[in-house]
Structure formats: C-alpha cells, structure tokens
C-alpha cells in the first residue's frame, strides 16, 4: 500500500504545530512531515515536540541541511529521538540550499562530497559503530554513541540532480524528492537511485518519498497556480493537483505508479485551514489510495 502523509509547512508559526500534530494523530494520518527551511523553524526541536504531543503518527524531518551540523550532533539527536519514540521518527539530510548556506558562512565547496561523508558517518554511528574517519569535511576520532538506537533505523537523503540521486541510492536508506518532481521525474529518479544501489551492491530496501503540492476547496486552482508560478514550476506538466479527494488520490496514484513508496501532500503556503488539510488527507484521500 502506498504511504500517505502531509506537511506542516514552516510558513506557519511554530505554536501552530501542536494543534496540527494532535489532529494528525486523532484522524489516523500515517506521517506528518516537517521542514527545516532557513530561517524559520528547527527540524529536531519541532519533531521532538510533535512526537511528544502524539501517540502514533510518524514524524518526518525533510530535510536537515548537513552544512549546519557536525555529524556527531546529528547522530546524537537522531538516536535520542529514535530511542524515546521507537519507530516513529523519520530523518532526512541534504546538502542544503546553497544561498542559505552562504548566508550563514557554511557553504561547502563540494556539497556532494560533504553529503556523502555525512551519510556514511551518520549511518555508521546510528548502527552502533565506533568511527574514525578523516574526510574532506567529516572528521571523527574514535567516536561512538553511548545510546545508539535499539534497532536499525533508516537515514533518508534529499536529492534532485543525477549525482545526488545516485549517491542517495549508494549511501542512504531512502530518498526524499521535492514537490517539483512530476511522475516522469520519479521514474528517472528511481533509475538513478538504482544505479547507485548497484554501484554499492546494496540489496536492502530503499523507500522513495515524494512531496505532492495539493490544494482543495473553492479557490484550490488559483492557489495552486500561484504557488507554481512563485516557485518557477508553472510550465512543468503534471505537477501538483487541485480539486477534491478523488482528484488528489489520482495524482497520488500516478506518483506511486512511477515509483513512489510514500506520497506526502504539501499544502500551499497560504493554506487557510492546516488542521482541515490534515483531516482531508487522512479521512477523504487515504480511503481512495491503494
């Protein structure tokens, strides 16, 4: 069955998260995803709060920009969440928006190298290994977590270009694709991810999560078009969906047929009813998605 989730966008004030998370838990939404967009809301702090306020919904962070974090800190925070809320935290990392990284003095000369080194060290630390490495960006000397997760956990990578998608297949356990990815883009991403997996001789599973920009309600079409224009995606075919639950479910199924394992509904930035959007996803769209 295709997984289904929704995004709490950081355009909303942090204090809105509690109500949205509790609704997600009450209505049976499978996954609630958060973003760490500069300079809005912290991903780990928001995830910890959402997990503490709820009992069953899984909470994803997509993505944590690796230039902002020493990998040991990422591992410590990830392990803490996984131990306190077993099976409910989903963490993804990425190389970050380079303009934002430049604003804080963290721009890497080779973002792909940094992401590779971070992924390899992070997965090793979360796997309970003691790590010593001297990379271009990641340097660890005899580092191990005192409290690694009690079970194996997945580390996701955000990826868009061919090299980063191959890297995700090689060094991550799953991939997060942006809402700028139409069905054909998901198929292309799957091929590139599989190339990376073949390079690393990996035979384990690899989950692909795709955001789907979605709008519902009387002005859904106008809000969707405005956001696509603002993001520079207005000319991309088969991108986003506006309409009722049946229309959204069909868009979800098109992404699933293209290779998505989980589709996360992304409301427009001006969504007037975030709690209602979560209810719509869980109560109206979910029953229509196989």
């Amino acid at each position: 069955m295709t997984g289904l989730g929704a995004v709490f966008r950081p355009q909303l004030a942090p204090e809105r998260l509690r109500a949205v998370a509790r609704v997600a838990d009450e209505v049976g939404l499978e996954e609630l995803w958060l973003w760490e967009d500069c300079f809005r809301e912290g991903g780990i702090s928001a995830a910890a709060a959402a997990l503490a306020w709820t009992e069953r919904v899984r909470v994803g962070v997509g993505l944590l920009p690796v230039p902002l974090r020493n990998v040991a800190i990422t591992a410590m925070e990830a392990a803490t969440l996984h131990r306190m809320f077993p099976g409910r935290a989903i963490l993804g990392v990425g190389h970050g928006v380079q303009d934002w990284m430049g604003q804080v003095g963290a721009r890497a000369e080779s973002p792909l190298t940094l992401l590779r080194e971070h992924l390899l060290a992070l997965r090793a630390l979360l796997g309970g290994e003691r790590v010593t490495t001297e990379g271009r960006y990641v340097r660890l000397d005899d580092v191990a977590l005192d409290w690694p997760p009690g079970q194996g956990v997945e580390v996701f990578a955000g990826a868009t270009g061919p090299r980063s998608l191959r890297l995700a297949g090689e060094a991550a356990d799953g991939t997060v694709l942006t809402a700028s990815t139409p069905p054909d883009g998901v198929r292309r991403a799957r091929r590139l991810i599989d190339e990376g997996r073949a390079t690393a001789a990996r035979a384990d599973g690899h989950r692909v999560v795709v955001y789907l920009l979605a709008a519902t309600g009387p002005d859904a079409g106008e809000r969707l078009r405005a956001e696509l224009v603002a993001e520079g995606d207005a000319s991309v075919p088969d991108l986003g969906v506006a309409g009722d639950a049946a229309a959204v479910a069909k868009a979800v199924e098109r992404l699933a047929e293209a290779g998505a394992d989980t589709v996360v509904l992304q409301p427009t930035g001006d969504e007037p009813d975030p709690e209602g959007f979560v209810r719509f996803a869980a109560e109206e769209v979910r029953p229509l998605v196989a």
Side-chain angles (χ1 to χ4, degrees):
M1 179 179 289
T2 304
L4 190 71
V7 179
F8 175 88
R9 292 186 59 156
Q11 285 87 350
L12 294 169
E15 58 267 27
R16 296 288 304 275
L17 176 58
R18 183 173 185 169
V20 174
R22 286 188 165 178
V23 169
D25 214 41
E26 292 167 3
V27 299
L29 185 71
E30 294 156 42
E31 297 181 5
L32 180 68
W33 281 74
L34 313 172
W35 295 350
E36 187 169 80
D37 278 0
C38 296
F39 299 95
R40 291 181 170 131
E41 295 164 11
I44 295 294
S45 55
L51 288 162
W53 286 326
T54 57
E55 297 292 336
R56 51 152 305 280
V57 66
R58 300 184 75 199
V59 176
V61 181
L63 302 159
L64 299 170
V66 298
L68 300 182
R69 285 180 178 78
N70 183 288
V71 69
I73 296 295
T74 308
M76 289 161 59
E77 292 184 324
T80 299
L81 288 182
H82 283 296
R83 289 189 70 106
M84 291 194 300
F85 308 101
R88 294 182 55 212
I90 313 166
L91 297 184
V93 298
H95 51 57
V97 176
Q98 294 309 294
D99 286 346
W100 289 341
M101 300 303 101
Q103 283 182 268
V104 299
R107 187 194 294 268
E109 185 177 345
S110 177
L112 199 68
T113 300
L114 169 55
L115 182 57
R116 175 186 297 277
E117 292 179 359
H118 198 103
L119 280 168
L120 293 174
L122 178 59
R123 292 180 64 237
L125 290 168
L126 291 175
E129 298 180 29
R130 184 170 296 276
V131 180
T132 295
T133 184
E134 185 72 22
R136 181 174 178 181
Y137 298 102
V138 174
R139 300 176 180 89
L140 299 173
D141 181 11
D142 195 33
V143 174
L145 296 175
D146 280 11
W147 298 102
Q151 57 187 9
V153 299
E154 298 174 317
V155 175
F156 285 72
T160 52
R163 291 193 300 164
S164 60
L165 286 164
R166 292 189 185 97
L167 172 60
E170 180 182 345
D173 303 302
T175 302
V176 180
L177 303 176
T178 72
S180 296
T181 313
D184 283 347
V186 176
R187 293 186 183 92
R188 169 180 166 274
R190 268 291 187 188
R191 289 194 295 270
L192 292 165
I193 291 166
D194 286 344
E195 288 177 12
R197 285 167 53 76
T199 297
R202 295 190 62 171
D204 51 346
H206 190 102
R207 187 155 65 102
V208 172
V209 177
V210 185
Y211 293 125
L212 170 63
L213 184 61
T216 191
D219 60 347
E222 291 79 2
R223 288 192 288 112
L224 179 70
R225 282 191 292 274
E227 181 128 343
L228 290 173
V229 169
E231 294 296 322
D233 289 331
S235 63
V236 180
D238 299 322
L239 201 61
V241 59
D244 60 10
V248 174
K250 287 180 181 178
V252 170
E253 289 177 349
R254 286 194 292 270
L255 291 171
E257 289 168 358
D261 298 295
T262 297
V263 177
V264 182
L265 302 184
Q266 174 182 318
T268 58
D270 59 354
E271 167 57 52
D273 182 8
E275 293 86 355
F277 186 85
V278 166
R279 289 188 181 277
F280 169 74
E283 296 179 344
E284 298 185 47
V285 179
R286 170 77 271 178
L288 302 178
V289 175

